[in-house]
């Protein structure tokens, strides 16, 4: 006996069973309620089988390729005003959110990102430098009586961020141009993590004459201090000192600029054996006073300024020698203490020569500045001679000392190479 399977139900295209056109018989109507649900259910769908290549290709090209964001999209420049978005394009633009958080920033197919970047960079570069570099507020005062230039650095505003935290560690550096860089460099303290520093610090240049005010230019540089690397330049301002009147305390509020860093002619290396200008040797402040009660000449070595650098580190270890000629033996030679690693030493030392006023009129005072070198011969920096055979300011200083007995007379003198004592031996 063989069993035969019943034929499979015909496939239906709908979940609902369509009744036949003929009227069902009573016997079939009795069993229809129980059999209808099983016959109307469709067969379970079979799982879709795709290849591995098709699987990885599903999300590869969902639509037009979006542009690769630039680094400026993540780190926008610091503006005091919001940047205007680029104008919308004529053709359809993807309405997807970009990295800037704005909609409508996509690009159509086949369009390059660089075609619109040029306009954006031009806007940044054409802006005023003050927006990015900031401003510097300071005061200048020229005291001609004491030959001093007082520079008071108040504050800066809106400096350009130089560090990764969006801030900076600013300080101000001053130079007198033209001139040796380290000999006339002054610097404020460094303030940490600020774009609006307030210093209120006064820096003083000594030995500044009226002639310097007509030829010199003050350069103020704002820099960012970096402990791990090289300090970064933010911006600078320059002031022609000839515009500053004597005794006038003038206030400035100037925008920082990026001026080309051209090396000054005086900062270039001097060839060996070449004649160095008098200005590069430095200056010395000397006081003379003849004491009639004790019958002696009092010579005060107060300070030096803008000395020439003699060591490899860009500084000197200066000291001063003084000799009253004609030579009177050991009593005619004196020497100050040594000041380490400085080009603007302050001595404030006084020496005495027992000599009558008649003899003093025939003598010459030789003052020389030296750089101390341990274990080697000392280097001569510059010197000056005061006496009856001198000329100009040096002769005037000598005459005023002899004329105004008992009065201390102070003068600044420029150091020259001719002031080296010929018979002096290195110590």
């Amino acid at each position: 006996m063989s069993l035969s399977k019943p034929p499979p139900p015909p496939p239906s295209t709908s979940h609902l069973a369509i009744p036949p056109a003929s009227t069902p018989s009573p016997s079939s109507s009795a069993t229809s309620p129980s059999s209808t649900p099983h016959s109307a259910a469709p067969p379970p769908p079979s799982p879709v089988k795709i290849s591995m290549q098709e699987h990885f290709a599903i999300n590869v090209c969902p639509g037009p390729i979006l542009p690769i964001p630039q680094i400026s999209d993540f780190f926008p420049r610091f503006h005091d005003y919001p940047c205007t978005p680029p104008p919308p394009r004529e053709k359809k633009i993807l309405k997807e959110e970009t990295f800037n958080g704005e909609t409508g920033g996509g690009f159509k197919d086949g369009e390059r990102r660089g075609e619109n970047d040029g306009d954006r960079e031009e806007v940044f570069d054409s802006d005023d430098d003050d927006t990015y570099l900031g401003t510097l507020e300071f005061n200048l005062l020229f005291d001609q009586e004491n030959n001093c230039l007082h520079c008071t650095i108040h504050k800066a505003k809106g400096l350009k961020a130089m560090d990764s935290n969006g801030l900076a560690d600013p300080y101000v550096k001053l130079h007198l141009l033209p001139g040796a860089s380290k000999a006339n460099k002054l610097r404020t303290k460094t303030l940490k993590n600020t774009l609006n520093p307030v210093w209120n610090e006064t820096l003083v240049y000594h030995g500044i004459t009226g002639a310097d005010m007509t030829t010199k230019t003050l350069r103020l540089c704002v820099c960012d201090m970096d402990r791990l690397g090289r300090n970064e330049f933010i911006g600078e301002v320059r002031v022609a000192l000839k515009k500053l009147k004597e005794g006038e305390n003038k206030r400035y509020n100037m925008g920082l600029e990026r001026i080309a860093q051209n090396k000054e002619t005086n900062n270039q290396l001097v060839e060996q054996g070449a004649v160095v200008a008098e200005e590069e040797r430095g200056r010395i402040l000397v006081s003379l006073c003849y004491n009639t009660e004790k019958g002696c000449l009092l010579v005060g070595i107060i300070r030096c300024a803008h000395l020439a650098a003699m060591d490899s580190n860009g500084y000197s270890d200066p000291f001063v020698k003084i000799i009253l000629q004609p030579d009177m033996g050991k009593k005619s030679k004196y020497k100050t203490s040594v000041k380490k690693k400085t080009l603007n030493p302050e001595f404030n030392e006084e020496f005495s020569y027992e000599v009558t006023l008649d003899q003093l009129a025939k003598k010459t005072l030789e003052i020389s500045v030296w750089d101390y070198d341990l274990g080697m011969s000392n280097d001569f920096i510059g010197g000056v001679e005061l006496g009856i055979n001198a000329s100009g300011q040096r002769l005037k200083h000598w005459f005023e000392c002899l004329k105004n007995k008992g009065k201390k007379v102070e003068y600044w003198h420029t150091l020259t190479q001719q002031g080296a004592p010929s018979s002096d031996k290195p110590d």
Side-chain angles (χ1 to χ4, degrees):
M1 177 180 229
S2 63
L3 296 176
S4 62
K5 294 182 180 180
S12 61
T13 58
S14 174
H15 295 282
L16 298 177
I18 300 176
S22 61
T23 306
S25 62
S27 60
S28 61
S29 62
T31 59
S32 61
S34 60
S35 62
T36 300
H38 297 283
S39 61
S46 59
V48 179
K49 295 182 179 181
I50 60 174
S51 64
M52 187 65 67
Q53 289 80 4
E54 291 175 336
H55 173 72
F56 284 110
I58 289 178
N59 294 325
V60 172
C61 298
I65 300 176
L66 294 179
I68 299 175
Q70 292 186 343
I71 192 67
S72 59
D73 296 334
F74 296 93
F75 300 96
R77 302 187 72 168
F78 295 89
H79 290 274
D80 296 333
Y81 54 89
C83 297
T84 57
R89 297 185 177 275
E90 297 179 358
K91 295 187 178 181
K92 185 179 179 180
I93 303 176
L94 298 177
K95 299 297 182 180
E96 295 183 7
E97 185 173 354
T98 63
F99 288 91
N100 284 336
E102 301 174 356
T103 58
F107 290 79
K108 57 183 179 293
D109 286 340
E111 191 165 30
R112 292 181 302 174
R113 171 88 175 191
E115 293 178 359
N116 195 40
D117 285 350
D119 299 337
R120 195 172 185 182
E121 290 178 359
E122 267 186 49
V123 173
F124 291 149
D125 294 339
S126 62
D127 286 338
D128 188 10
D129 289 341
D130 294 355
T131 305
Y132 305 110
L133 305 181
T135 59
L136 182 63
E137 191 173 335
F138 58 96
N139 272 50
L140 296 180
L141 171 63
F142 175 54
D143 183 5
Q144 189 171 10
E145 183 179 356
N146 297 317
N147 296 106
C148 296
L149 176 63
H150 300 265
C151 310
T152 303
I153 311 300
H154 294 292
K155 58 184 177 180
K157 288 185 178 180
L159 294 181
K160 180 181 178 182
M162 305 299 292
D163 298 337
S164 58
N165 59 359
L167 300 174
D169 303 327
Y171 66 92
V172 182
K173 185 170 55 176
L174 281 68
H175 288 99
L176 278 178
L177 304 177
S181 58
K182 289 189 177 181
N184 52 38
K185 181 181 75 173
L186 299 177
R187 172 178 166 168
T188 66
K189 59 185 178 182
T190 303
L191 300 182
K192 298 288 186 179
N193 297 328
T194 177
L195 298 179
N196 300 283
V198 179
W199 289 283
N200 288 328
E201 195 171 339
T202 300
L203 308 175
V204 182
Y205 277 107
H206 296 277
I208 304 299
T209 62
D212 294 329
M213 297 297 293
T214 59
T215 58
K216 296 284 187 180
T217 298
L218 181 64
R219 174 189 177 197
L220 301 94
C221 300
V222 181
C223 301
D224 170 61
M225 190 189 74
D226 191 354
R227 289 185 177 180
L228 302 179
R230 190 174 182 180
N231 295 343
E232 296 178 297
F233 173 80
I234 299 178
E236 69 174 56
V237 297
R238 299 192 182 193
V239 179
L241 297 182
K242 62 182 179 181
K243 299 180 181 179
L244 186 64
K245 298 179 181 179
E246 177 190 353
E248 178 186 7
N249 192 0
K250 191 172 182 179
R251 194 177 189 91
Y252 296 84
N253 190 359
M254 304 176 64
L256 299 176
E257 299 177 349
R258 284 190 176 274
I259 302 177
Q261 304 295 319
N262 296 326
K263 290 185 178 181
E264 301 294 331
T265 56
N266 287 341
N267 295 343
Q268 296 177 353
L269 294 177
V270 181
E271 296 182 1
Q272 188 174 3
V275 177
V276 183
E278 291 185 359
E279 181 65 24
E280 294 183 1
R281 310 314 301 179
R283 294 178 181 176
I284 185 170
L285 179 59
V286 180
S287 67
L288 297 179
C289 176
Y290 186 79
N291 191 333
T292 54
E293 297 180 358
K294 298 182 179 180
C296 63
L297 173 67
L298 300 177
V299 180
I301 306 299
I302 302 175
R303 69 187 315 140
C304 295
H306 319 325
L307 295 180
M310 307 301 292
D311 296 338
S312 59
N313 58 5
Y315 294 95
S316 295
D317 302 325
F319 66 95
V320 181
K321 295 180 182 180
I322 56 175
I323 304 175
L324 189 62
Q325 299 285 9
D327 195 349
M328 300 188 306
K330 293 184 178 180
K331 294 183 179 180
S332 64
K333 296 181 180 180
Y334 291 102
K335 184 174 65 174
T336 66
S337 58
V338 178
K339 303 298 180 180
K340 294 290 185 179
K341 196 179 179 181
T342 178
L343 299 177
N344 299 278
E346 186 173 356
F347 298 100
N348 290 322
E349 299 183 28
E350 193 174 63
F351 307 94
S352 174
Y353 289 102
E354 295 182 0
V355 59
T356 63
L357 190 60
D358 295 337
Q359 294 176 346
L360 184 61
K362 302 176 183 179
K363 291 186 177 294
T364 300
L365 182 65
E366 295 180 353
I367 303 174
S368 57
V369 182
W370 298 78
D371 170 53
Y372 176 77
D373 289 326
L374 181 63
M376 298 184 294
S377 60
N378 299 324
D379 299 323
F380 173 71
I381 297 179
V384 62
E385 294 183 358
L386 306 178
I388 195 65
N389 297 324
S391 60
Q393 196 87 344
R394 296 167 294 177
L395 180 61
K396 182 180 179 181
H397 191 189
W398 190 255
F399 275 155
E400 287 191 10
C401 172
L402 299 178
K403 181 179 179 180
N404 302 302
K405 295 180 286 292
K407 180 181 178 181
K408 183 178 293 187
V409 183
E410 294 183 359
Y411 269 84
W412 280 95
H413 297 287
T414 301
L415 300 174
T416 63
Q417 287 188 323
Q418 287 74 24
S422 56
S423 62
D424 189 54
K425 297 180 181 180
D427 294 312

